[in-house]
Every structure is written in C-alpha cells, then in structure tokens.
Amino acid sequence: MSIEAMSQAEMRSALGRFASGVTVVTGLDDEGPAGFVCQSFASVSLEPAMVLFCADHRGRSWPRIRRAGRFTVNVLHENQSDICSRFGSRDGRKFDDLDWEMSRWSTPALPEVLMRVHADIENVHTVGDHDVVIGRVLELEAVTEERPLIFFRGKLGIDAAPTRLSA
C-alpha cells in the first residue's frame, strides 16, 4: 500500500499488528491531577536513564502535565482495563473515586500497577499531530508481578480477533 493512497484507518489497522503495553501518564498541576492513556512508551537510554512517550496535541491532560514539568508512567496489568477505560475517556472525572496516592515526586501514582517510572521532562519534539516527550528518569518502582495489559489489533488483550487490511 502506497503512502499516498493510505487512509488513517488503514494505517491504524496495519500498525495495530504491533502489540504494545498500555500505560497511563500522570502529572499534577495547580488544577489537580491529570492523566491519559498512552501506548507509545519506550526506553530511550540507560545512561543517562531516559524514556519517551508520545502525546496527542488535542488532549486536555498533556498540556497540563507539560506545564508541570514532571510525570509518572503507570504501566497497567491485564486486570486493569477499567483504569484504561477511565483514563481513555474524555469525561474529565478520571481520578474521582480512584484509590491513588501522591508519589514522593509529587505526581499521581495509580494503585497496583505493574511498575511506575517517575521522570522530569527533558525535551519535547513536535512531530505531526503529536509531541514526542523525552523524560529523565528519577525513579523506577516495580509494584506487582501480574501480566501486562496489551493493546493489539485495536482491542485490549492479545486474543483480539484479526482485522483484514485493504489491498
């Protein structure tokens, strides 16, 4: 499929064949806690310890986290699809009735996740409709030993039914 003829839906379907973990990026500003679901998360460097995530410009939470200058990546486990749905929603009540804690880095830490990465924003690169955010790691926290929540073929879980690509 040529780039010129490719639609956003076709690109999403093709790239959906790459399974990714599911995270919630959180931060805190003067308005309170903010967070959003993010599948574009990766390690960048061991020395110095750096990670990256990609954030949509249209989101409401990312600008608040960017202004705060610090974030936590909360890696979800397979039984946390409810947290994924909560933070993937645009209703604005993501932290209501959620048992979260303030980390020692003044960022929201979600309960019983696989792990947390606390980081300062080092660099932000605008690329298309997203920002590529580079963070300098402050602390890593291994929390539980569950299996990861996976996003695959447009659905949560590795058993997602296959979708057919257009030729």
Side-chain angles (χ1 to χ4, degrees), residues 77-152:
H77 65 70
E78 69 181 347
N79 296 319
Q80 292 183 309
S81 59
D82 58 330
I83 291 179
C84 179
S85 295
R86 173 187 289 256
F87 282 89
S89 168
R90 293 187 177 268
D91 76 6
R93 296 187 211 127
K94 299 173 182 183
F95 288 88
D96 290 0
D97 301 320
L98 180 65
D99 184 26
W100 63 278
E101 297 178 355
M102 187 66 69
S103 75
R104 72 185 187 118
W105 302 102
S106 297
T107 54
L110 301 185
E112 299 303 313
V113 295
L114 281 179
M115 67 165 294
R116 296 182 194 106
V117 179
H118 306 279
D120 281 334
I121 295 173
E122 182 81 9
N123 248 312
V124 178
H125 305 278
T126 300
V127 181
D129 58 4
H130 277 65
D131 285 337
V132 178
V133 182
I134 308 294
R136 181 175 296 272
V137 176
L138 301 168
E139 181 181 18
L140 301 170
E141 285 184 89
V143 181
T144 66
E145 294 296 324
E146 303 291 329
R147 292 170 21 136
L149 182 59
I150 301 294
F151 188 74
F152 180 61

Side-chain angles (χ1 to χ4, degrees), residues 53-81:
F53 67 85
C54 297
D56 190 329
H57 292 198
R58 297 167 293 189
R60 292 183 293 180
S61 296
W62 162 234
R64 294 177 54 202
I65 295 169
R66 183 176 186 169
R67 282 190 300 273
R70 181 170 284 169
F71 62 89
T72 292
V73 176
N74 299 268
V75 180
L76 302 183
H77 65 70
E78 69 181 347
N79 296 319
Q80 292 183 309
S81 59

Side-chain angles (χ1 to χ4, degrees), residues 12 18 69 108 163:
R12 184 176 292 117
F18 178 72
T163 56

